[in-house]
Amino acid sequence: MGFARTCSVALVGVEGVVVEVQADLEPGVAAFTLVGLPDKSLIESRERVRAAVVNSGAEWPQKKLTVGLSPASVPKGGSGFDLAVACAVLGAAERLDPRELTDLMMIGELGLDGRVRPVRGVLPAVLAAADAGYRQVVVPEQTVAEASLVPGISVLGVRTLRQLIAVLADEPVPDEEDPREEGRPDPSLAGLVVPGTGVGAGLPPGDHTPDLADVAGQHSARRALEVAAAGRHHIFLKGPPGAGKTMLAERLPGLLPPLSPKESLEVTAVHSVAGTLPPGQPLVHRPPYCAPHHSATMASLVGGGTGLPRPGAVSLAHHGVLFVDEAAECSPRVLDTLRQPLESGHVVVARAAGMMRMPARILLALAANPCPCGRHGTTTGGDCECRPSSIRRYRARLSGPLMDRVDLRIAVEPVARAELIALGRGAETTATVAARVQTARERAASRFAGTPWHTNSEVPGHELRTRWQVNPGALAQAERDLECGLLTARGLDRVLRVAWTAADLAGRDRPTREDVNWALELRTGVRRGALTAADRGGDHHETATARPPHGQR
């Protein structure tokens, strides 16, 4: 009787669970039994492993073979267990020393010819191995760069099972041909991408970043984008078609600071599991940008699918921007699923096959027309042809609880002819605004040192009201709005957060009355008086006057 064990990782959403792969050989009729709650793709590993072992020059044991995956209560799927199963079988057959396999973590799929093929989710799997105390991991050669992102882990990349057997048996390592060196396509890379998702979905384009200088006019909206990026505040852009709502939202990710090392690992792990991480890009450095179509389903937005759920758009936009264009055309039931992740920063999806928690700390950007025809309340473009009942139904698609979580509500007016002709004259670039955003983020980070918060949007309202107070008398108007019902308790907390962000951008130690009133104006749409750009800490070439929202002129 022979016995050997090694380890692999089962992915449950974007989190890994260490699985012990045990192989037991007993006298009897030759058979191969795989137990431990495997799915269909894992059951098929019996045929892949047998063919790969034989084609790698090793002898397949002609005995009763049982392979167990422990813990048996955790659902296991995918082909990433092939390499661990093959080595456990060879250890039980004494082709390999079982002691050499005990402390190894193995991740990889096997081809029938013995080649080791890459699989999705290597980064979260190696992170789980490191958290469990493992220090050596074996992965396919194509995913070595991704696995090496985890500190304190020794990574061995192998091209074939024959190479791994030679390394573990202390034998000369054979040379295996590399399709990339021969100029041939590598079909094994197809395992890194989920069909239908598209390579790079949810990731910012690498060749070109939209520049804010391309936006003509829209001074109030540009300022709101800067505040949204500096404090990670959710923003709603409402205006007629062609006013530039989508153009503005597409430039929001460029204003965000680069991801920290910890954030980069989190974002890369999500995209690795989702199968949207482009080959050759082991680490995501820039905030992601995901813009699903307004016909997106609930499962595609928050996560779902058959069996265990897969990450949705809110998780693909983790630490980045989720842009929902034509928000009023979306299903209200689908949009309301964003309410939980906007508050908690994660989404919990429960299915019959299990429950999964996925990260979803996003900056939400919504855009919508004021009415079905898009001309209600505009100063140009003709009269609105919609009935009042149609306008009410159209606006009711954005529920009150969802909009109560949106800090900035901006009316985007059509660009005037003079502003359009003067395009490029004095308009600030993305790099210039991003530098101010970075400075404001640093001010907030120094203020929150020693706390679990990093941006103003994360700070609980109680802390803002007691620990970090505004200037005396600055909350007078906000308190009146709270008494008359224009503002909710949650709304007051969000007004305070926006006011602190405005103060950070202006270089002030505490928010002033002007900062709070401007934050109230952005949230309620009620005119608070004329505020100069100097008061707001913005571009000194303009003077912005508060305007009522569409329909209140």
Side-chain angles (χ1 to χ4, degrees):
M1 182 180 71
F3 177 83
R5 64 186 180 89
T6 187
C7 291
S8 190
V9 177
L11 289 177
V12 181
V14 294
E15 298 179 355
V17 178
V18 174
V19 173
E20 188 178 59
V21 181
Q22 303 172 342
D24 178 70
L25 281 175
E26 296 180 356
V29 179
F32 187 176
T33 304
L34 183 64
V35 297
L37 211 59
D39 70 349
K40 179 65 174 177
S41 61
L42 185 50
I43 291 177
E44 292 176 350
S45 68
R46 295 178 300 181
E47 308 305 324
R48 292 193 301 269
V49 168
R50 180 187 290 109
V53 168
V54 173
N55 290 326
S56 297
E59 182 179 355
W60 184 261
Q62 297 300 318
K63 296 181 180 180
K64 182 181 178 182
L65 171 62
T66 303
V67 174
L69 307 176
S70 179
S73 60
V74 176
K76 305 167 190 72
S79 56
F81 295 91
D82 290 2
L83 198 59
V85 171
C87 289
V89 171
L90 292 175
E94 299 183 350
R95 174 63 177 86
L96 297 175
D97 186 354
R99 293 173 297 180
E100 297 290 334
L101 305 175
T102 303
D103 297 328
L104 278 181
M105 178 69 63
M106 301 187 184
I107 305 165
E109 176 186 337
L110 286 175
L112 299 183
D113 57 355
R115 286 184 300 169
V116 182
R117 303 171 63 94
V119 294
R120 293 180 289 112
V122 167
L123 178 58
V126 178
L127 284 171
D131 292 340
Y134 290 87
R135 292 295 174 262
Q136 292 181 311
V137 61
V138 181
V139 299
E141 188 180 50
Q142 295 91 334
T143 58
V144 169
E146 183 179 346
S148 300
L149 297 173
V150 182
I153 291 290
S154 176
V155 180
L156 172 62
V158 294
R159 193 173 299 167
T160 63
L161 178 60
R162 187 183 295 107
Q163 283 185 337
L164 181 57
I165 293 174
V167 171
L168 296 177
D170 198 16
E171 299 172 354
V173 180
D175 292 331
E176 303 287 352
E177 64 176 0
D178 187 355
R180 295 170 296 181
E181 296 179 356
E182 301 293 333
R184 302 195 305 270
D186 188 358
S188 64
L189 296 178
L192 297 175
V193 181
V194 175
T197 58
V199 177
L203 295 178
D207 53 347
H208 175 68
T209 301
D211 199 330
L212 196 60
D214 299 335
V215 180
Q218 306 298 357
H219 305 295
S220 298
R222 289 167 61 99
R223 174 61 177 159
L225 285 185
E226 183 176 345
V227 172
R232 197 152 63 182
H233 303 287
H234 309 307
I235 185 171
F236 173 51
L237 303 170
K238 183 173 72 172
K245 303 184 296 295
T246 303
M247 192 176 185
L248 287 162
E250 289 175 345
R251 281 145 181 81
L252 183 55
L255 304 181
L256 299 177
L259 299 176
S260 66
K262 180 182 177 181
E263 293 172 344
S264 294
L265 287 178
E266 293 177 3
V267 173
T268 304
V270 172
H271 286 268
S272 178
V273 171
T276 59
L277 192 65
Q281 184 178 334
L283 187 65
V284 180
H285 296 280
R286 293 192 295 164
Y289 173 75
C290 192
H293 192 260
H294 62 261
S295 63
T297 63
M298 187 181 301
S300 66
L301 195 62
V302 299
T306 58
L308 285 176
R310 291 181 53 249
V314 291
S315 296
L316 294 178
H318 181 52
H319 288 311
V321 176
L322 175 66
F323 176 47
V324 182
D325 201 1
E326 302 295 345
E329 300 291 345
C330 297
S331 167
R333 185 165 169 263
V334 173
L335 275 182
D336 281 342
T337 59
L338 297 174
R339 287 153 56 178
Q340 176 197 354
L342 290 183
E343 287 290 323
S344 61
H346 63 267
V347 58
V348 178
V349 181
R351 295 290 186 269
M355 184 177 295
M356 183 173 62
R357 182 181 185 273
M358 294 174 288
R361 188 165 297 281
I362 61 172
L363 195 168
L364 177 65
L366 300 171
N369 297 326
C371 66
C373 76
R375 296 192 296 269
H376 180 75
T378 58
T379 56
T380 60
D383 296 331
C384 175
E385 301 176 353
C386 304
R387 296 180 178 178
S389 58
S390 299
I391 297 176
R392 286 194 299 269
R393 285 195 302 268
Y394 188 79
R395 294 179 175 179
R397 289 176 172 268
L398 301 176
S399 66
L402 175 64
M403 295 305 298
D404 198 39
R405 291 165 168 82
V406 178
D407 302 337
L408 311 176
R409 307 174 188 179
I410 305 299
V412 182
E413 295 287 353
V415 181
R417 181 180 62 87
E419 292 176 325
L420 193 60
I421 294 176
L423 178 62
R425 301 177 186 175
E428 289 185 317
T429 63
T430 293
T432 302
V433 179
R436 287 203 301 267
V437 169
Q438 180 67 37
T439 302
R441 286 278 186 109
E442 292 171 357
R443 289 179 62 88
S446 63
R447 183 169 63 250
F448 302 140
T451 69
W453 313 299
H454 301 88
T455 60
N456 292 315
S457 63
E458 303 172 20
V459 184
H462 174 74
E463 297 288 340
L464 286 178
R465 293 190 298 270
T466 58
R467 187 171 177 181
W468 293 290
Q469 298 183 358
V470 301
N471 281 344
L475 287 176
Q477 184 62 54
E479 292 171 352
R480 288 194 291 269
D481 286 358
L482 186 64
E483 290 178 357
C484 66
L486 281 176
L487 204 62
T488 63
R490 180 195 286 127
L492 177 61
D493 292 342
R494 293 186 174 275
V495 165
L496 285 175
R497 294 166 184 164
V498 174
W500 271 104
T501 301
D504 288 336
L505 286 168
R508 289 190 279 267
D509 293 333
R510 290 195 295 176
T512 62
R513 181 191 297 268
E514 289 76 15
D515 294 325
V516 176
N517 288 349
W518 185 62
L520 279 170
E521 174 191 326
L522 290 177
R523 180 165 186 86
T524 63
V526 179
R527 189 174 184 272
R528 304 293 169 179
L531 299 178
T532 63
D535 291 331
R536 298 178 182 176
D539 190 353
H540 294 272
H541 295 290
E542 58 169 296
T543 298
T545 302
R547 298 178 178 179
H550 292 311
Q552 295 186 13
R553 295 186 177 86

